[in-house]
Amino acid sequence: EVQLVESGGGLVQPGDSLRLSCVASGFNFGEYAMGWVRQAPGKEFEWIAGISGTSDTTRYADSVKGRFTISRDNAKSTLYLKLNNLKTEDTAMYYCAKGTYSAYGGQKRGQGTQVTVSL
């Protein structure tokens, strides 16, 4: 059974940083592109970052480019997202998603971790 477990969210102030983690199990992690998506209250899912299986390519939504960094450790079956210079509009539930490189179409995701950016 595919499982994705996110962690690392929290309540921070604008300008702060966080690192999210996603531990995967139930599939050969290194064979799949992975991505992060987020959903703010009352809004649709937004794809924000993707990484290839071998980490040779990454891609970002314009809304986070230059502030967020996606990475992975295949030996640990773990996906990361470093969030820098957080803004109030980054407040959302953040999910990792299997097989999501450049868009989110309902692929398997975890339960999410909440990021709240507030003064």
Short mmCIF file of all heavy atoms in Angstrom, two decimals, residues 18-20 34-38 46-52 55-72 79-84 90 94 100-104:
data_model
loop_
_atom_site.label_atom_id
_atom_site.label_comp_id
_atom_site.label_asym_id
_atom_site.label_seq_id
_atom_site.Cartn_x
_atom_site.Cartn_y
_atom_site.Cartn_z
N LEU A 18 10.75 27.24 6.78
CA LEU A 18 10.35 25.93 7.27
C LEU A 18 10.93 24.88 6.32
O LEU A 18 11.20 25.18 5.16
CB LEU A 18 8.84 25.76 7.29
CG LEU A 18 8.01 26.40 8.41
CD1 LEU A 18 6.53 26.24 8.11
CD2 LEU A 18 8.35 25.80 9.75
N ARG A 19 11.07 23.65 6.81
CA ARG A 19 11.40 22.53 5.94
C ARG A 19 10.37 21.44 6.15
O ARG A 19 10.22 20.92 7.27
CB ARG A 19 12.80 21.98 6.18
CG ARG A 19 13.19 20.98 5.08
CD ARG A 19 14.59 20.43 5.22
NE ARG A 19 14.66 19.35 6.18
CZ ARG A 19 15.58 18.40 6.18
NH1 ARG A 19 16.52 18.40 5.23
NH2 ARG A 19 15.59 17.45 7.09
N LEU A 20 9.69 21.11 5.09
CA LEU A 20 8.71 20.03 5.12
C LEU A 20 9.36 18.73 4.68
O LEU A 20 10.26 18.74 3.82
CB LEU A 20 7.53 20.35 4.21
CG LEU A 20 6.87 21.71 4.38
CD1 LEU A 20 5.67 21.83 3.44
CD2 LEU A 20 6.48 21.95 5.82
N MET A 34 8.28 13.15 -8.03
CA MET A 34 7.46 13.51 -6.88
C MET A 34 7.21 15.01 -6.89
O MET A 34 7.97 15.77 -7.52
CB MET A 34 8.16 13.13 -5.56
CG MET A 34 8.36 11.64 -5.35
SD MET A 34 6.83 10.73 -5.06
CE MET A 34 6.29 11.44 -3.49
N GLY A 35 6.18 15.41 -6.21
CA GLY A 35 5.90 16.84 -6.18
C GLY A 35 5.22 17.25 -4.90
O GLY A 35 4.84 16.42 -4.07
N TRP A 36 5.11 18.56 -4.76
CA TRP A 36 4.37 19.15 -3.65
C TRP A 36 3.21 19.96 -4.22
O TRP A 36 3.37 20.67 -5.22
CB TRP A 36 5.27 20.07 -2.83
CG TRP A 36 6.28 19.35 -2.00
CD1 TRP A 36 7.57 19.06 -2.35
CD2 TRP A 36 6.10 18.83 -0.68
NE1 TRP A 36 8.18 18.38 -1.33
CE2 TRP A 36 7.31 18.24 -0.29
CE3 TRP A 36 5.03 18.82 0.23
CZ2 TRP A 36 7.50 17.64 0.96
CZ3 TRP A 36 5.20 18.22 1.47
CH2 TRP A 36 6.43 17.64 1.82
N VAL A 37 2.09 19.84 -3.56
CA VAL A 37 0.92 20.65 -3.90
C VAL A 37 0.41 21.26 -2.61
O VAL A 37 0.74 20.80 -1.52
CB VAL A 37 -0.17 19.81 -4.59
CG1 VAL A 37 0.36 19.17 -5.86
CG2 VAL A 37 -0.72 18.75 -3.66
N ARG A 38 -0.39 22.30 -2.73
CA ARG A 38 -0.96 22.91 -1.54
C ARG A 38 -2.40 23.32 -1.81
O ARG A 38 -2.81 23.49 -2.95
CB ARG A 38 -0.14 24.12 -1.09
CG ARG A 38 -0.16 25.29 -2.05
CD ARG A 38 0.78 26.39 -1.56
NE ARG A 38 0.78 27.55 -2.47
CZ ARG A 38 1.57 28.59 -2.33
NH1 ARG A 38 2.47 28.64 -1.33
NH2 ARG A 38 1.50 29.60 -3.18
N GLU A 46 -3.16 23.59 -5.68
CA GLU A 46 -2.17 24.30 -6.48
C GLU A 46 -0.89 23.48 -6.49
O GLU A 46 -0.29 23.26 -5.43
CB GLU A 46 -1.88 25.68 -5.90
CG GLU A 46 -0.80 26.44 -6.63
CD GLU A 46 -0.36 27.72 -5.94
OE1 GLU A 46 -0.68 27.89 -4.74
OE2 GLU A 46 0.32 28.54 -6.57
N TRP A 47 -0.46 23.05 -7.68
CA TRP A 47 0.85 22.41 -7.79
C TRP A 47 1.92 23.48 -7.59
O TRP A 47 1.82 24.57 -8.15
CB TRP A 47 1.00 21.77 -9.17
CG TRP A 47 2.40 21.37 -9.45
CD1 TRP A 47 3.03 20.21 -9.10
CD2 TRP A 47 3.40 22.15 -10.12
NE1 TRP A 47 4.33 20.22 -9.50
CE2 TRP A 47 4.58 21.40 -10.13
CE3 TRP A 47 3.40 23.42 -10.70
CZ2 TRP A 47 5.76 21.87 -10.71
CZ3 TRP A 47 4.55 23.90 -11.27
CH2 TRP A 47 5.73 23.12 -11.27
N ILE A 48 2.96 23.17 -6.80
CA ILE A 48 3.97 24.17 -6.55
C ILE A 48 5.40 23.73 -6.89
O ILE A 48 6.24 24.59 -7.18
CB ILE A 48 3.94 24.69 -5.10
CG1 ILE A 48 4.07 23.55 -4.09
CG2 ILE A 48 2.69 25.52 -4.85
CD1 ILE A 48 4.20 24.03 -2.65
N ALA A 49 5.70 22.43 -6.86
CA ALA A 49 7.07 22.02 -7.14
C ALA A 49 7.10 20.55 -7.53
O ALA A 49 6.29 19.76 -7.06
CB ALA A 49 7.97 22.25 -5.94
N GLY A 50 8.06 20.20 -8.39
CA GLY A 50 8.24 18.81 -8.79
C GLY A 50 9.71 18.49 -8.96
O GLY A 50 10.52 19.38 -9.23
N ILE A 51 10.04 17.21 -8.80
CA ILE A 51 11.42 16.76 -8.93
C ILE A 51 11.42 15.39 -9.60
O ILE A 51 10.56 14.55 -9.33
CB ILE A 51 12.12 16.72 -7.55
CG1 ILE A 51 13.60 16.41 -7.68
CG2 ILE A 51 11.42 15.74 -6.60
CD1 ILE A 51 14.38 16.65 -6.38
N SER A 52 12.39 15.18 -10.49
CA SER A 52 12.49 13.90 -11.16
C SER A 52 12.98 12.82 -10.20
O SER A 52 13.47 13.12 -9.12
CB SER A 52 13.43 14.01 -12.35
OG SER A 52 14.74 14.32 -11.91
N SER A 55 16.55 13.31 -9.28
CA SER A 55 16.85 14.67 -8.82
C SER A 55 17.56 15.52 -9.87
O SER A 55 18.03 16.61 -9.54
CB SER A 55 17.72 14.66 -7.55
OG SER A 55 17.08 13.98 -6.50
N ASP A 56 17.64 15.06 -11.12
CA ASP A 56 18.37 15.87 -12.10
C ASP A 56 17.58 17.06 -12.60
O ASP A 56 18.17 18.02 -13.12
CB ASP A 56 18.83 15.00 -13.27
CG ASP A 56 17.69 14.27 -13.95
OD1 ASP A 56 16.62 14.19 -13.35
OD2 ASP A 56 17.88 13.78 -15.08
N THR A 57 16.28 17.03 -12.46
CA THR A 57 15.48 18.19 -12.87
C THR A 57 14.46 18.53 -11.80
O THR A 57 13.91 17.65 -11.12
CB THR A 57 14.75 17.95 -14.20
OG1 THR A 57 13.91 16.81 -14.06
CG2 THR A 57 15.74 17.72 -15.33
N THR A 58 14.22 19.82 -11.68
CA THR A 58 13.18 20.34 -10.78
C THR A 58 12.38 21.40 -11.51
O THR A 58 12.84 21.97 -12.51
CB THR A 58 13.79 20.95 -9.50
OG1 THR A 58 14.69 22.00 -9.87
CG2 THR A 58 14.52 19.93 -8.68
N ARG A 59 11.20 21.65 -11.00
CA ARG A 59 10.33 22.64 -11.63
C ARG A 59 9.49 23.28 -10.53
O ARG A 59 9.10 22.62 -9.57
CB ARG A 59 9.43 21.95 -12.65
CG ARG A 59 8.61 22.90 -13.48
CD ARG A 59 8.00 22.19 -14.68
NE ARG A 59 7.20 23.10 -15.47
CZ ARG A 59 6.63 22.78 -16.62
NH1 ARG A 59 6.77 21.55 -17.10
NH2 ARG A 59 5.92 23.67 -17.29
N TYR A 60 9.20 24.57 -10.71
CA TYR A 60 8.48 25.32 -9.69
C TYR A 60 7.39 26.18 -10.31
O TYR A 60 7.53 26.70 -11.42
CB TYR A 60 9.43 26.24 -8.92
CG TYR A 60 10.52 25.51 -8.18
CD1 TYR A 60 11.76 25.28 -8.77
CD2 TYR A 60 10.30 25.03 -6.89
CE1 TYR A 60 12.74 24.59 -8.11
CE2 TYR A 60 11.29 24.35 -6.21
CZ TYR A 60 12.51 24.13 -6.82
OH TYR A 60 13.49 23.45 -6.14
N ALA A 61 6.32 26.36 -9.54
CA ALA A 61 5.32 27.33 -9.92
C ALA A 61 5.89 28.73 -9.73
O ALA A 61 6.74 28.96 -8.87
CB ALA A 61 4.07 27.15 -9.06
N ASP A 62 5.41 29.67 -10.53
CA ASP A 62 5.90 31.04 -10.42
C ASP A 62 5.68 31.61 -9.03
O ASP A 62 6.46 32.45 -8.57
CB ASP A 62 5.20 31.92 -11.46
CG ASP A 62 5.67 31.63 -12.88
OD1 ASP A 62 6.72 30.98 -13.04
OD2 ASP A 62 4.96 32.04 -13.82
N SER A 63 4.63 31.16 -8.36
CA SER A 63 4.30 31.72 -7.05
C SER A 63 5.34 31.40 -5.98
O SER A 63 5.40 32.09 -4.96
CB SER A 63 2.93 31.20 -6.60
OG SER A 63 2.93 29.78 -6.54
N VAL A 64 6.17 30.38 -6.21
CA VAL A 64 7.15 29.99 -5.19
C VAL A 64 8.58 29.99 -5.72
O VAL A 64 9.52 29.78 -4.94
CB VAL A 64 6.82 28.59 -4.60
CG1 VAL A 64 5.39 28.55 -4.09
CG2 VAL A 64 7.07 27.49 -5.62
N LYS A 65 8.76 30.21 -7.00
CA LYS A 65 10.09 30.15 -7.61
C LYS A 65 11.02 31.14 -6.94
O LYS A 65 10.65 32.30 -6.71
CB LYS A 65 9.98 30.44 -9.10
CG LYS A 65 11.20 30.08 -9.91
CD LYS A 65 10.94 30.30 -11.39
CE LYS A 65 9.85 29.38 -11.92
NZ LYS A 65 9.61 29.58 -13.37
N GLY A 66 12.20 30.66 -6.58
CA GLY A 66 13.18 31.52 -5.93
C GLY A 66 13.06 31.53 -4.41
O GLY A 66 13.95 32.02 -3.71
N ARG A 67 11.96 31.01 -3.88
CA ARG A 67 11.77 30.98 -2.43
C ARG A 67 11.72 29.55 -1.88
O ARG A 67 12.16 29.31 -0.76
CB ARG A 67 10.47 31.69 -2.05
CG ARG A 67 10.44 33.15 -2.43
CD ARG A 67 9.21 33.86 -1.85
NE ARG A 67 7.96 33.28 -2.34
CZ ARG A 67 7.02 32.75 -1.55
NH1 ARG A 67 7.19 32.72 -0.24
NH2 ARG A 67 5.90 32.27 -2.07
N PHE A 68 11.18 28.62 -2.65
CA PHE A 68 11.05 27.23 -2.21
C PHE A 68 12.04 26.36 -2.97
O PHE A 68 12.33 26.61 -4.15
CB PHE A 68 9.64 26.71 -2.47
CG PHE A 68 8.56 27.34 -1.63
CD1 PHE A 68 8.80 28.42 -0.80
CD2 PHE A 68 7.25 26.84 -1.69
CE1 PHE A 68 7.79 28.99 -0.04
CE2 PHE A 68 6.23 27.40 -0.93
CZ PHE A 68 6.51 28.47 -0.11
N THR A 69 12.53 25.30 -2.31
CA THR A 69 13.45 24.36 -2.94
C THR A 69 12.99 22.94 -2.64
O THR A 69 12.85 22.56 -1.47
CB THR A 69 14.88 24.55 -2.42
OG1 THR A 69 15.30 25.90 -2.67
CG2 THR A 69 15.83 23.59 -3.13
N ILE A 70 12.79 22.17 -3.69
CA ILE A 70 12.41 20.77 -3.55
C ILE A 70 13.66 19.90 -3.67
O ILE A 70 14.56 20.20 -4.46
CB ILE A 70 11.35 20.37 -4.60
CG1 ILE A 70 10.79 18.98 -4.30
CG2 ILE A 70 11.90 20.48 -6.01
CD1 ILE A 70 9.59 18.61 -5.18
N SER A 71 13.71 18.84 -2.87
CA SER A 71 14.83 17.90 -2.93
C SER A 71 14.34 16.53 -2.46
O SER A 71 13.22 16.41 -1.95
CB SER A 71 16.01 18.39 -2.09
OG SER A 71 15.64 18.48 -0.72
N ARG A 72 15.19 15.54 -2.63
CA ARG A 72 14.80 14.20 -2.20
C ARG A 72 16.03 13.40 -1.82
O ARG A 72 17.13 13.67 -2.28
CB ARG A 72 14.04 13.48 -3.32
CG ARG A 72 14.85 13.23 -4.58
CD ARG A 72 13.95 12.80 -5.74
NE ARG A 72 13.28 11.53 -5.47
CZ ARG A 72 12.23 11.10 -6.16
NH1 ARG A 72 11.72 11.83 -7.14
NH2 ARG A 72 11.69 9.92 -5.87
N LEU A 79 11.06 12.93 0.65
CA LEU A 79 10.96 14.14 -0.17
C LEU A 79 10.96 15.34 0.77
O LEU A 79 10.38 15.27 1.86
CB LEU A 79 9.67 14.10 -0.98
CG LEU A 79 9.37 15.26 -1.90
CD1 LEU A 79 10.29 15.22 -3.12
CD2 LEU A 79 7.91 15.23 -2.34
N TYR A 80 11.60 16.40 0.33
CA TYR A 80 11.68 17.61 1.15
C TYR A 80 11.18 18.83 0.38
O TYR A 80 11.21 18.87 -0.85
CB TYR A 80 13.12 17.87 1.58
CG TYR A 80 13.76 16.75 2.34
CD1 TYR A 80 14.62 15.85 1.71
CD2 TYR A 80 13.51 16.58 3.70
CE1 TYR A 80 15.21 14.81 2.41
CE2 TYR A 80 14.10 15.54 4.41
CZ TYR A 80 14.95 14.66 3.75
OH TYR A 80 15.53 13.63 4.45
N LEU A 81 10.78 19.83 1.14
CA LEU A 81 10.49 21.14 0.57
C LEU A 81 10.96 22.19 1.55
O LEU A 81 10.46 22.27 2.67
CB LEU A 81 9.00 21.33 0.28
CG LEU A 81 8.65 22.62 -0.46
CD1 LEU A 81 9.19 22.57 -1.90
CD2 LEU A 81 7.14 22.87 -0.47
N LYS A 82 11.96 22.97 1.15
CA LYS A 82 12.44 24.07 1.97
C LYS A 82 11.70 25.32 1.56
O LYS A 82 11.70 25.71 0.40
CB LYS A 82 13.95 24.26 1.79
CG LYS A 82 14.53 25.37 2.65
CD LYS A 82 14.51 25.07 4.11
CE LYS A 82 14.97 26.19 5.00
NZ LYS A 82 16.34 26.65 4.69
N LEU A 83 11.07 25.95 2.52
CA LEU A 83 10.29 27.15 2.29
C LEU A 83 11.00 28.33 2.92
O LEU A 83 11.15 28.38 4.16
CB LEU A 83 8.90 27.02 2.91
CG LEU A 83 7.92 25.96 2.38
CD1 LEU A 83 8.37 24.54 2.68
CD2 LEU A 83 6.53 26.20 2.93
N ASN A 84 11.46 29.25 2.12
CA ASN A 84 12.13 30.45 2.61
C ASN A 84 11.28 31.69 2.33
O ASN A 84 10.44 31.69 1.44
CB ASN A 84 13.49 30.62 1.94
CG ASN A 84 14.48 29.57 2.36
OD1 ASN A 84 14.48 29.09 3.48
ND2 ASN A 84 15.36 29.20 1.44
N ASP A 90 1.18 32.12 1.53
CA ASP A 90 1.64 30.74 1.50
C ASP A 90 0.88 29.86 2.49
O ASP A 90 1.10 28.64 2.52
CB ASP A 90 3.14 30.67 1.83
CG ASP A 90 4.00 31.32 0.77
OD1 ASP A 90 3.72 31.13 -0.42
OD2 ASP A 90 4.98 32.01 1.15
N TYR A 94 -0.14 21.60 2.99
CA TYR A 94 0.85 21.17 2.01
C TYR A 94 0.88 19.64 1.95
O TYR A 94 0.94 18.97 3.00
CB TYR A 94 2.23 21.71 2.37
CG TYR A 94 2.39 23.17 2.06
CD1 TYR A 94 1.72 24.15 2.80
CD2 TYR A 94 3.20 23.59 1.01
CE1 TYR A 94 1.83 25.49 2.49
CE2 TYR A 94 3.34 24.95 0.71
CZ TYR A 94 2.65 25.88 1.45
OH TYR A 94 2.78 27.21 1.14
N THR A 100 3.97 13.35 -9.41
CA THR A 100 3.52 14.71 -9.76
C THR A 100 4.73 15.58 -10.03
O THR A 100 5.41 15.99 -9.11
CB THR A 100 2.71 15.30 -8.60
OG1 THR A 100 1.60 14.44 -8.33
CG2 THR A 100 2.20 16.69 -8.94
N TYR A 101 5.01 15.86 -11.30
CA TYR A 101 6.18 16.66 -11.62
C TYR A 101 5.84 18.09 -12.01
O TYR A 101 6.50 19.02 -11.60
CB TYR A 101 6.97 16.01 -12.77
CG TYR A 101 8.19 16.79 -13.16
CD1 TYR A 101 9.31 16.81 -12.35
CD2 TYR A 101 8.21 17.53 -14.34
CE1 TYR A 101 10.44 17.54 -12.69
CE2 TYR A 101 9.34 18.26 -14.69
CZ TYR A 101 10.45 18.26 -13.87
OH TYR A 101 11.55 19.00 -14.21
N SER A 102 4.79 18.25 -12.82
CA SER A 102 4.51 19.59 -13.32
C SER A 102 3.05 20.01 -13.19
O SER A 102 2.71 21.14 -13.57
CB SER A 102 4.93 19.70 -14.78
OG SER A 102 4.24 18.75 -15.56
N ALA A 103 2.22 19.11 -12.72
CA ALA A 103 0.82 19.46 -12.55
C ALA A 103 0.18 18.43 -11.64
O ALA A 103 0.67 17.31 -11.52
CB ALA A 103 0.09 19.50 -13.90
N TYR A 104 -0.91 18.83 -10.98
CA TYR A 104 -1.59 17.89 -10.09
C TYR A 104 -2.94 17.54 -10.68
O TYR A 104 -3.76 18.43 -10.94
CB TYR A 104 -1.78 18.51 -8.71
CG TYR A 104 -2.42 17.57 -7.72
CD1 TYR A 104 -1.79 16.39 -7.37
CD2 TYR A 104 -3.66 17.85 -7.16
CE1 TYR A 104 -2.37 15.51 -6.49
CE2 TYR A 104 -4.24 16.99 -6.26
CZ TYR A 104 -3.60 15.80 -5.93
OH TYR A 104 -4.18 14.93 -5.06
#
